[in-house]
Amino acid sequence: MMRACVESVESFTFKSDAIAPDKSISHRSAMFAVLAEGESRIENFLRAEDTLNTLKIVGHLGAKIHDDGSVITITSNGIQESSEILDCGNSGTGMRLFCGLLSSAEGHFVLTGDEYLKRRPMKRVTQPLRNIGAKLDGRADGDLAPLSIRGASLKAFTYESKIASAQVKSAMILAALRSDGVCTYFEPELSRDHTERMLKGMGARIEVEGLTTKIWPLEATLSPLNIRVPADPSSAFFFAVAAAITPNSTAVLEGVTLNPTRIEAFKVLERMGADITYTVTDERYEPIGTITVKSAPLKAVVVEENISWLIDELPALSIAMACATGKSIIKNAEELRVKESDRIKTVVDNLNLCGITTEEYPDGYAVNGGILSKACVNSYGDHRIAMSFLVAGLRCGMEVEDIECINTSFPNFFDLLGQCTKVVR
Ligand code: S3P
């Protein structure tokens, strides 16, 4: 098990156009190329474990993949049955979206994942897919991987989801595209909308009005994708927090998607007092640009709305909360319990080890701002827990155990962190 130590720092200036490419968009780029006719072109694909697993699965499904080290091209020939077990590794996004994609494909498919993914709930997608005719099964009556799928014809649906989840929404949209009629999907709060933007860009008919998404079955194959994946705001956010909590520091984060469903955590950091500006420099499926974050004294905040817009950033935001004056509260975030780790427990336990007092709730927690102290914390195999506490180390020094998981989403994290402070591995 590898560990890393980070030293505290007085101040830093950080500028990078090398933040990890967006994970959600990379997964989708590889998968959606399978639905297109012709060659899809993907630049700046995230070369991290999660998304490389998705790319490998797309290859097992019969797509021709060419990678020149910079641009990946994918040419599909429809979805072919595979003799391989399709291994999604650590990725819930991979597994849930493939359920939607493969439910209507001809053949039999088996999806599996690592020890963490095999513990995460899948019924949120397998149940609504079964309701429309999908033949899906797995342990615990289809809740736990390995999952088996036998492609079937799918009925049109109207589905009201109880959770604001882009993974569930995307799985259902992918199923709807190959169903027998117009489908309607409702969600309780708008979740990230990359699937809708990208598929519409490829020619699918999808109409979104408020929390309702209407999807028409495909009449023809989609046009190929031509995309440069922007930087991932969830990865960029670690450096935003780093700058916000370190006096006299600045982080300039370039080429990041500024999709409103993805930058809510930056807005919360602004509400806490950080000085943040956004400059749009490009537009491809979504607005893309530079986020500049400057340190300032931080004050406590309550986070209880638009949770799905910042769910992945809550561990890092908790580090900012630990450095703020007053008691911050996170509510309505029960989804944190079923991420790569139970992030309510792993954040609270690790903050306590760093001398910060907390209160744990079923759907969130409170963080009493104070003085972080150096500790030895564990990532619990969760990449975002590992990176959040390494960033906390900029204030007080930190030792983090079990850091291999960072490779699932941000393989060059340590190169970039090394531009802010001294890191020993
Ligand atoms: C993702 C959706 C979110 C997010 C995950 C990526 C996606 O999960 O936490 O990291 O790419 O669709 P949920 O859909 O479960 O909220």
Side-chain angles (χ1 to χ4, degrees):
M1 192 158 64
M2 277 175 65
R3 62 180 64 195
C5 291
V6 170
E7 284 185 10
S8 64
V9 68
E10 298 284 305
S11 73
F12 70 85
T13 303
F14 173 84
K15 182 173 191 235
S16 184
D17 62 359
I19 302 285
D22 192 76
K23 185 146 76 82
S24 294
I25 298 176
S26 295
H27 278 299
R28 286 164 173 77
S29 301
M31 286 187 202
F32 299 173
V34 169
L35 295 173
E37 188 168 327
E39 185 181 275
S40 288
R41 187 177 181 283
I42 308 162
E43 217 181 306
N44 206 35
F45 184 83
L46 172 62
R47 290 165 194 278
E49 282 171 11
D50 276 9
T51 44
L52 289 173
N53 280 327
T54 287
L55 189 66
K56 195 167 168 192
I57 292 175
V58 162
H60 288 323
L61 296 174
K64 278 206 204 78
I65 300 170
H66 181 261
D67 182 358
D68 71 4
S70 147
V71 176
I72 293 177
T73 56
I74 302 180
T75 313
S76 163
N77 184 20
I79 299 174
Q80 314 291 322
E81 192 175 52
S82 176
S83 58
E84 303 291 331
I85 289 179
L86 309 174
D87 189 352
C88 300
N90 189 245
S91 177
T93 307
M95 183 164 284
R96 295 188 180 120
L97 269 63
F98 274 123
C99 284
L101 186 71
L102 296 176
S103 280
S104 60
E106 222 170 278
H108 177 251
F109 307 90
V110 180
L111 292 170
T112 193
D114 68 8
E115 56 171 312
Y116 301 97
L117 187 57
K118 279 192 274 196
R119 293 200 288 262
R120 294 180 64 190
M122 293 297 142
K123 227 179 195 161
R124 52 183 60 202
V125 291
T126 56
Q127 191 57 55
L129 288 168
R130 278 170 169 179
N131 292 348
I132 60 169
K135 296 202 171 83
L136 264 155
D137 215 339
R139 290 181 302 133
D141 189 24
D143 195 29
L144 298 175
L147 300 176
S148 82
I149 306 173
R150 175 165 295 285
S153 39
L154 304 181
K155 296 192 288 282
F157 63 83
T158 294
Y159 183 67
E160 192 170 338
S161 176
K162 296 274 176 295
I163 41 174
S165 160
Q167 295 175 359
V168 177
K169 176 171 64 173
S170 302
M172 295 308 286
I173 291 175
L174 289 168
L177 290 179
R178 286 142 60 97
S179 73
D180 67 2
V182 183
C183 299
T184 309
Y185 182 90
F186 297 102
E187 54 187 340
E189 210 175 54
L190 187 68
S191 60
R192 68 188 66 187
D193 61 355
H194 307 297
T195 296
E196 300 86 304
R197 288 172 184 258
M198 291 168 72
L199 289 172
K200 272 161 83 170
M202 295 169 78
R205 183 162 174 211
I206 298 176
E207 287 175 10
V208 183
E209 222 185 284
L211 302 176
T212 305
T213 306
K214 260 180 126 174
I215 313 106
W216 278 257
L218 291 181
E219 281 171 5
T221 41
L222 295 171
S223 356
L225 200 62
N226 183 2
I227 194 169
R228 180 181 159 79
V229 180
D232 194 320
S234 307
S235 296
F237 194 65
F238 294 110
F239 293 91
V241 170
I245 65 170
T246 311
N248 305 313
S249 295
T250 305
V252 181
L253 311 161
E254 295 175 334
V256 182
T257 174
L258 300 178
N259 181 324
T261 64
R262 293 296 302 283
I263 56 168
E264 185 72 3
F266 293 86
K267 304 280 174 184
V268 173
L269 201 54
E270 254 185 291
R271 259 163 51 208
M272 295 177 77
D275 172 359
I276 307 190
T277 55
Y278 310 83
T279 315
V280 179
T281 54
D282 201 0
E283 172 93 38
R284 182 81 203 159
Y285 302 103
E286 16 200 283
I288 295 162
T290 302
I291 304 179
T292 304
V293 184
K294 292 191 176 140
S295 55
L298 299 178
K299 54 182 189 300
V301 73
V302 175
V303 179
E304 56 187 350
E305 282 174 351
N306 292 329
I307 294 297
S308 69
W309 292 10
L310 47 59
I311 190 84
D312 291 340
E313 289 72 68
L314 287 174
L317 199 55
S318 307
I319 303 300
M321 291 171 168
C323 299
T325 314
K327 174 176 174 175
S328 293
I329 297 177
I330 297 171
K331 284 195 215 155
N332 302 323
E334 49 279 289
E335 275 295 300
L336 284 175
R337 297 238 180 240
V338 290
K339 291 294 174 189
E340 287 84 330
S341 67
D342 173 347
R343 287 185 179 155
I344 293 183
K345 198 168 162 14
T346 49
V347 167
V348 160
D349 286 355
N350 280 347
L351 282 178
N352 293 345
L353 286 173
C354 299
I356 297 294
T357 59
T358 55
E359 286 162 37
E360 182 176 337
Y361 315 128
D363 66 339
Y365 47 91
V367 178
N368 293 303
I371 300 189
L372 276 167
S373 17
K374 182 172 180 173
C376 175
V377 302
N378 198 285
S379 73
Y380 300 93
D382 183 335
H383 57 139
R384 298 202 198 280
I385 298 297
M387 290 185 276
S388 297
F389 282 86
L390 286 163
V391 161
L394 296 182
R395 268 307 267 269
C396 55
M398 192 70 68
E399 186 172 342
V400 180
E401 288 184 322
D402 197 359
I403 53 168
E404 288 89 339
C405 50
I406 293 174
N407 286 328
T408 61
S409 67
F410 202 163
N412 63 336
F413 175 74
F414 282 108
D415 298 341
L416 300 189
L417 191 64
Q419 292 174 29
C420 307
T421 186
K422 189 166 172 221
V423 185
V424 181
R425 271 188 287 166

PDB file of all heavy atoms in Angstrom, residues 177-189:
ATOM      1  N   LEU A 177     -33.331   5.509 -26.396  1.00  0.00           N
ATOM      2  CA  LEU A 177     -32.949   5.707 -27.802  1.00  0.00           C
ATOM      3  C   LEU A 177     -33.244   4.471 -28.640  1.00  0.00           C
ATOM      4  O   LEU A 177     -33.402   4.563 -29.846  1.00  0.00           O
ATOM      5  CB  LEU A 177     -31.441   6.004 -27.915  1.00  0.00           C
ATOM      6  CG  LEU A 177     -30.971   7.358 -27.398  1.00  0.00           C
ATOM      7  CD1 LEU A 177     -29.461   7.475 -27.561  1.00  0.00           C
ATOM      8  CD2 LEU A 177     -31.671   8.511 -28.118  1.00  0.00           C
ATOM      9  N   ARG A 178     -33.276   3.300 -27.984  1.00  0.00           N
ATOM     10  CA  ARG A 178     -33.517   2.065 -28.729  1.00  0.00           C
ATOM     11  C   ARG A 178     -34.792   1.376 -28.233  1.00  0.00           C
ATOM     12  O   ARG A 178     -34.927   0.161 -28.312  1.00  0.00           O
ATOM     13  CB  ARG A 178     -32.282   1.158 -28.618  1.00  0.00           C
ATOM     14  CG  ARG A 178     -31.138   1.715 -29.491  1.00  0.00           C
ATOM     15  CD  ARG A 178     -29.785   1.570 -28.882  1.00  0.00           C
ATOM     16  NE  ARG A 178     -29.409   0.212 -28.608  1.00  0.00           N
ATOM     17  CZ  ARG A 178     -28.659  -0.546 -29.415  1.00  0.00           C
ATOM     18  NH1 ARG A 178     -28.220  -0.084 -30.559  1.00  0.00           N
ATOM     19  NH2 ARG A 178     -28.336  -1.755 -29.065  1.00  0.00           N
ATOM     20  N   SER A 179     -35.746   2.184 -27.719  1.00  0.00           N
ATOM     21  CA  SER A 179     -37.027   1.633 -27.261  1.00  0.00           C
ATOM     22  C   SER A 179     -38.055   1.779 -28.384  1.00  0.00           C
ATOM     23  O   SER A 179     -37.733   2.261 -29.465  1.00  0.00           O
ATOM     24  CB  SER A 179     -37.489   2.384 -26.020  1.00  0.00           C
ATOM     25  OG  SER A 179     -37.937   3.667 -26.404  1.00  0.00           O
ATOM     26  N   ASP A 180     -39.314   1.389 -28.077  1.00  0.00           N
ATOM     27  CA  ASP A 180     -40.298   1.392 -29.172  1.00  0.00           C
ATOM     28  C   ASP A 180     -41.202   2.630 -29.191  1.00  0.00           C
ATOM     29  O   ASP A 180     -42.259   2.605 -29.809  1.00  0.00           O
ATOM     30  CB  ASP A 180     -41.122   0.091 -29.139  1.00  0.00           C
ATOM     31  CG  ASP A 180     -42.020   0.005 -27.907  1.00  0.00           C
ATOM     32  OD1 ASP A 180     -42.027   0.969 -27.097  1.00  0.00           O
ATOM     33  OD2 ASP A 180     -42.707  -1.018 -27.751  1.00  0.00           O
ATOM     34  N   GLY A 181     -40.824   3.710 -28.493  1.00  0.00           N
ATOM     35  CA  GLY A 181     -41.664   4.910 -28.549  1.00  0.00           C
ATOM     36  C   GLY A 181     -41.032   6.073 -27.791  1.00  0.00           C
ATOM     37  O   GLY A 181     -39.930   5.935 -27.234  1.00  0.00           O
ATOM     38  N   VAL A 182     -41.742   7.191 -27.752  1.00  0.00           N
ATOM     39  CA  VAL A 182     -41.204   8.380 -27.085  1.00  0.00           C
ATOM     40  C   VAL A 182     -41.225   8.157 -25.565  1.00  0.00           C
ATOM     41  O   VAL A 182     -42.219   7.678 -25.020  1.00  0.00           O
ATOM     42  CB  VAL A 182     -42.041   9.633 -27.456  1.00  0.00           C
ATOM     43  CG1 VAL A 182     -41.442  10.886 -26.824  1.00  0.00           C
ATOM     44  CG2 VAL A 182     -42.107   9.784 -28.971  1.00  0.00           C
ATOM     45  N   CYS A 183     -40.127   8.478 -24.899  1.00  0.00           N
ATOM     46  CA  CYS A 183     -39.984   8.209 -23.460  1.00  0.00           C
ATOM     47  C   CYS A 183     -39.871   9.523 -22.687  1.00  0.00           C
ATOM     48  O   CYS A 183     -39.372  10.520 -23.202  1.00  0.00           O
ATOM     49  CB  CYS A 183     -38.715   7.414 -23.201  1.00  0.00           C
ATOM     50  SG  CYS A 183     -38.706   5.822 -24.029  1.00  0.00           S
ATOM     51  N   THR A 184     -40.316   9.488 -21.429  1.00  0.00           N
ATOM     52  CA  THR A 184     -40.222  10.679 -20.571  1.00  0.00           C
ATOM     53  C   THR A 184     -39.551  10.294 -19.263  1.00  0.00           C
ATOM     54  O   THR A 184     -39.927   9.310 -18.632  1.00  0.00           O
ATOM     55  CB  THR A 184     -41.626  11.237 -20.273  1.00  0.00           C
ATOM     56  OG1 THR A 184     -42.315  11.381 -21.512  1.00  0.00           O
ATOM     57  CG2 THR A 184     -41.561  12.597 -19.590  1.00  0.00           C
ATOM     58  N   TYR A 185     -38.562  11.098 -18.879  1.00  0.00           N
ATOM     59  CA  TYR A 185     -37.818  10.846 -17.627  1.00  0.00           C
ATOM     60  C   TYR A 185     -37.901  12.097 -16.757  1.00  0.00           C
ATOM     61  O   TYR A 185     -37.613  13.207 -17.211  1.00  0.00           O
ATOM     62  CB  TYR A 185     -36.348  10.538 -17.983  1.00  0.00           C
ATOM     63  CG  TYR A 185     -35.480  10.221 -16.793  1.00  0.00           C
ATOM     64  CD1 TYR A 185     -35.338   8.912 -16.339  1.00  0.00           C
ATOM     65  CD2 TYR A 185     -34.801  11.230 -16.107  1.00  0.00           C
ATOM     66  CE1 TYR A 185     -34.554   8.621 -15.240  1.00  0.00           C
ATOM     67  CE2 TYR A 185     -34.012  10.940 -15.007  1.00  0.00           C
ATOM     68  CZ  TYR A 185     -33.889   9.630 -14.582  1.00  0.00           C
ATOM     69  OH  TYR A 185     -33.118   9.346 -13.494  1.00  0.00           O
ATOM     70  N   PHE A 186     -38.330  11.924 -15.499  1.00  0.00           N
ATOM     71  CA  PHE A 186     -38.373  13.054 -14.547  1.00  0.00           C
ATOM     72  C   PHE A 186     -37.301  12.830 -13.486  1.00  0.00           C
ATOM     73  O   PHE A 186     -37.135  11.716 -13.010  1.00  0.00           O
ATOM     74  CB  PHE A 186     -39.696  13.100 -13.784  1.00  0.00           C
ATOM     75  CG  PHE A 186     -40.914  13.316 -14.622  1.00  0.00           C
ATOM     76  CD1 PHE A 186     -41.735  12.235 -14.940  1.00  0.00           C
ATOM     77  CD2 PHE A 186     -41.268  14.581 -15.058  1.00  0.00           C
ATOM     78  CE1 PHE A 186     -42.880  12.419 -15.707  1.00  0.00           C
ATOM     79  CE2 PHE A 186     -42.411  14.768 -15.813  1.00  0.00           C
ATOM     80  CZ  PHE A 186     -43.218  13.689 -16.142  1.00  0.00           C
ATOM     81  N   GLU A 187     -36.654  13.911 -13.084  1.00  0.00           N
ATOM     82  CA  GLU A 187     -35.724  13.782 -11.952  1.00  0.00           C
ATOM     83  C   GLU A 187     -36.066  14.851 -10.912  1.00  0.00           C
ATOM     84  O   GLU A 187     -36.606  15.903 -11.246  1.00  0.00           O
ATOM     85  CB  GLU A 187     -34.266  13.874 -12.398  1.00  0.00           C
ATOM     86  CG  GLU A 187     -33.894  15.093 -13.207  1.00  0.00           C
ATOM     87  CD  GLU A 187     -32.477  15.022 -13.743  1.00  0.00           C
ATOM     88  OE1 GLU A 187     -31.660  14.255 -13.205  1.00  0.00           O
ATOM     89  OE2 GLU A 187     -32.180  15.754 -14.701  1.00  0.00           O
ATOM     90  N   PRO A 188     -35.755  14.585  -9.627  1.00  0.00           N
ATOM     91  CA  PRO A 188     -36.175  15.513  -8.571  1.00  0.00           C
ATOM     92  C   PRO A 188     -35.386  16.812  -8.571  1.00  0.00           C
ATOM     93  O   PRO A 188     -35.855  17.835  -8.064  1.00  0.00           O
ATOM     94  CB  PRO A 188     -35.945  14.721  -7.284  1.00  0.00           C
ATOM     95  CG  PRO A 188     -34.982  13.632  -7.639  1.00  0.00           C
ATOM     96  CD  PRO A 188     -35.165  13.340  -9.084  1.00  0.00           C
ATOM     97  N   GLU A 189     -34.157  16.792  -9.092  1.00  0.00           N
ATOM     98  CA  GLU A 189     -33.303  17.980  -9.173  1.00  0.00           C
ATOM     99  C   GLU A 189     -32.467  17.751 -10.428  1.00  0.00           C
ATOM    100  O   GLU A 189     -32.127  16.602 -10.724  1.00  0.00           O
ATOM    101  CB  GLU A 189     -32.387  17.975  -7.948  1.00  0.00           C
ATOM    102  CG  GLU A 189     -31.965  19.325  -7.467  1.00  0.00           C
ATOM    103  CD  GLU A 189     -31.158  19.235  -6.164  1.00  0.00           C
ATOM    104  OE1 GLU A 189     -30.151  18.489  -6.131  1.00  0.00           O
ATOM    105  OE2 GLU A 189     -31.540  19.915  -5.197  1.00  0.00           O
TER     106      GLU A 189
END
